[in-house]
């Protein structure tokens, strides 16, 4: 994904990758949430405010912790978490 994309365009492109993508959040390099959007044709499993609160706090925490190993094991490409009803994938 190019750095010249706006957060809303990036979200549109991620939704276009696969119809199973239900939600997209984009954080900037400082971990500030700049885009948070549920696919318009699906119902969220959680509330919109919960989604935003989660994305403002959890991914930055996880990414910061795991990035501490990069000097020893190489760069982090992604994090995948699977729940019974949803898969979460984070890309630094």
């Amino acid at each position: 994904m190019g750095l010249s994309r706006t957060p809303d365009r990036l979200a549109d492109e991620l939704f276009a990758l696969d119809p199973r993508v239900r939600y997209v959040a984009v954080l900037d390099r400082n971990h500030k949430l700049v885009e948070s959007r549920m696919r318009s044709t699906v119902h969220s499993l959680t509330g919109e405010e919960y989604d935003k609160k989660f994305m403002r706090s959890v991914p930055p925490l996880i990414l910061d912790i795991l990035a501490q190993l990069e000097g020893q094991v190489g760069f982090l490409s992604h994090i995948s978490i699977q729940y019974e009803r949803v898969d979460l994938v984070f890309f630094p």
Side-chain angles (χ1 to χ4, degrees):
M1 303 284 159
L3 297 176
S4 63
R5 290 176 177 87
T6 61
D8 61 324
R9 181 164 176 218
L10 178 57
D12 290 341
E13 291 177 11
L14 292 170
F15 280 126
L17 289 174
D18 192 307
R20 295 174 294 179
V21 174
R22 299 172 53 93
Y23 173 80
V24 171
V26 179
L27 285 71
D28 67 12
R29 293 189 185 279
N30 297 315
H31 303 298
K32 179 183 175 211
L33 184 66
V34 294
E35 181 73 20
S36 174
R37 191 180 344 148
M38 178 64 59
R39 184 182 293 275
S40 61
T41 58
V42 297
H43 183 267
S44 179
L45 300 174
T46 55
E48 181 179 354
E49 286 308 310
Y50 179 85
D51 292 343
K52 288 180 179 180
K53 182 179 177 181
F54 180 90
M55 293 309 295
R56 285 183 187 118
S57 58
V58 175
L61 179 65
I62 292 171
L63 291 167
D64 284 345
I65 290 169
L66 295 178
Q68 294 178 28
L69 287 173
E70 288 183 333
Q72 292 79 30
V73 298
F75 289 106
L76 178 66
S77 70
H78 70 280
I79 301 163
S80 177
I81 301 169
Q82 292 182 309
Y83 286 97
E84 183 177 327
R85 297 175 66 192
V86 69
D87 294 341
L88 304 175
V89 182
F90 303 104
F91 297 94

